Amino acid sequence: MAARRRGALNAPWFIGTLAAAALSVASAANSRAEGDPARGAQAFRACAACHSIEPGRHLTGPSLANVFGQKAGTVAGFPRYSKALKDSAVVWDAQSLDTWLSNPAKLIPGNWMTFRGIPDARVRADLIAYLKAVSEGNAPAPRASGGMMQAPRLPDLEAADPRSVVTAIRYCGDTYHVTTGSGETIPFWEFNLRFKTDSSEKGPPKGRPVLVGAGMMGDRAQVVFSHPVEISTFIKTECK
Ligand code: HEC
């Protein structure tokens, strides 16, 4: 009897809690439903340095062209997943993406996405709406005024200006002397010159490495080769 009375007394509180819970579920659903793909396309600039939305075009991170509904860590042709992501049982939907984007390390500890997370729930909802639209083949066209949509400016090395094609590299002491197609030879302190490879279609042709980002004499720059084997054969150690 007493127990029942206490139960009866508690009822309004209980109903209130239920109502609050229902409300918060409803508002969570709403805030997700409100995600705007066009705004999400703008917000994707935070991701575009590492992800493309073109199928098969992988950058630091995998292409996100078909991420919606996909099991984590399974994009074909992306060879750089962490074990943590591959072994996770996560499937990407609105809920898991929301958790991931608010704090990647919390959803999948030990993953390799160097990204702190997005605290703003609306921005996350916009991004998720955008990724969903992309996966469904309905990506909103980038706004004309949006500018800088696709972040990393990968130079088209295949069609590089002959003046930036490298014809010879001589190594002497602590210096690389880089000769380009214009006949000019530029000295670089060895610590300021980086060697990279680009094996993609946009990469340089075999045996024709390209000098990128040499603003000023001796400033930092990079030489991009088509294959790592070229690096050691191309560079001649010689002092004259
Ligand atoms: C600094 C580079 C970087 C940035 C910025 C970045 N990511 Fe990532 N992302 C990665 C890498 C690397 C992975 C793979 C992580 C792993 O294997 O642990 C990844 C994985 C993912 C995955 C899982 C993909 C899969 O195939 O399972 C999603 C989804 C994702 N990122 C979304 C985003 C979104 C959305 C943004 C922008 C808000 C973003 N990322 C920003 C590098 C980045």
Side-chain angles (χ1 to χ4, degrees):
M1 209 46 194
R4 211 200 282 159
R5 213 170 37 244
R6 207 162 35 243
L9 276 174
N10 281 343
W13 165 85
F14 181 63
I15 289 166
T17 309
L18 262 186
L23 252 181
S24 73
V25 166
S27 74
N30 272 342
S31 71
R32 262 209 300 282
E34 275 166 23
D36 172 29
R39 277 200 312 249
Q42 300 293 307
F44 192 74
R45 277 185 280 190
C47 326
C50 297
H51 292 287
S52 93
I53 55 158
E54 269 173 62
R57 184 160 183 253
H58 310 305
L59 310 174
T60 304
S63 158
L64 296 180
N66 294 300
V67 74
F68 225 84
Q70 203 164 46
K71 192 184 167 300
T74 59
V75 171
F78 181 71
R80 295 182 290 279
Y81 281 117
S82 65
K83 191 170 175 341
L85 200 83
K86 273 194 294 192
D87 289 355
S88 81
V90 170
V91 174
W92 296 122
D93 59 15
Q95 186 64 59
S96 58
L97 280 170
D98 187 63
T99 315
W100 173 251
L101 294 178
S102 68
N103 183 351
K106 199 168 160 203
L107 182 68
I108 305 177
N111 82 79
W112 288 346
M113 173 155 127
T114 321
F115 189 75
R116 219 183 295 170
I118 300 168
D120 187 331
R122 204 193 78 169
V123 176
R124 294 198 304 271
D126 290 344
L127 270 169
I128 292 164
Y130 173 66
L131 289 175
K132 186 157 190 267
V134 165
S135 294
E136 289 167 352
N138 292 324
R143 243 178 260 168
S145 60
M148 53 179 282
M149 267 297 297
Q150 290 303 329
R153 245 181 345 104
L154 298 180
D156 194 344
L157 302 174
E158 191 219 3
D161 184 322
R163 282 170 302 176
S164 50
V165 170
V166 176
T167 55
I169 302 179
R170 186 170 61 82
Y171 180 59
C172 176
D174 66 354
T175 302
Y176 289 105
H177 301 268
V178 178
T179 307
T180 67
S182 64
E184 200 182 7
T185 297
I186 311 169
F188 290 92
W189 177 38
E190 62 182 342
F191 212 72
N192 280 347
L193 195 63
R194 288 196 266 179
F195 299 118
K196 295 187 176 180
T197 52
D198 183 349
S199 62
S200 77
E201 282 169 14
K202 304 230 165 211
K206 253 180 146 181
R208 295 184 63 215
V210 174
L211 183 66
V212 183
M216 283 166 271
M217 293 279 261
D219 202 351
R220 284 172 209 199
Q222 19 191 323
V223 178
V224 186
F225 296 83
S226 72
H227 191 280
V229 158
E230 280 181 22
I231 298 176
S232 53
T233 51
F234 203 90
I235 301 169
K236 306 279 181 247
T237 303
E238 188 193 352
C239 294
K240 30 179 165 181

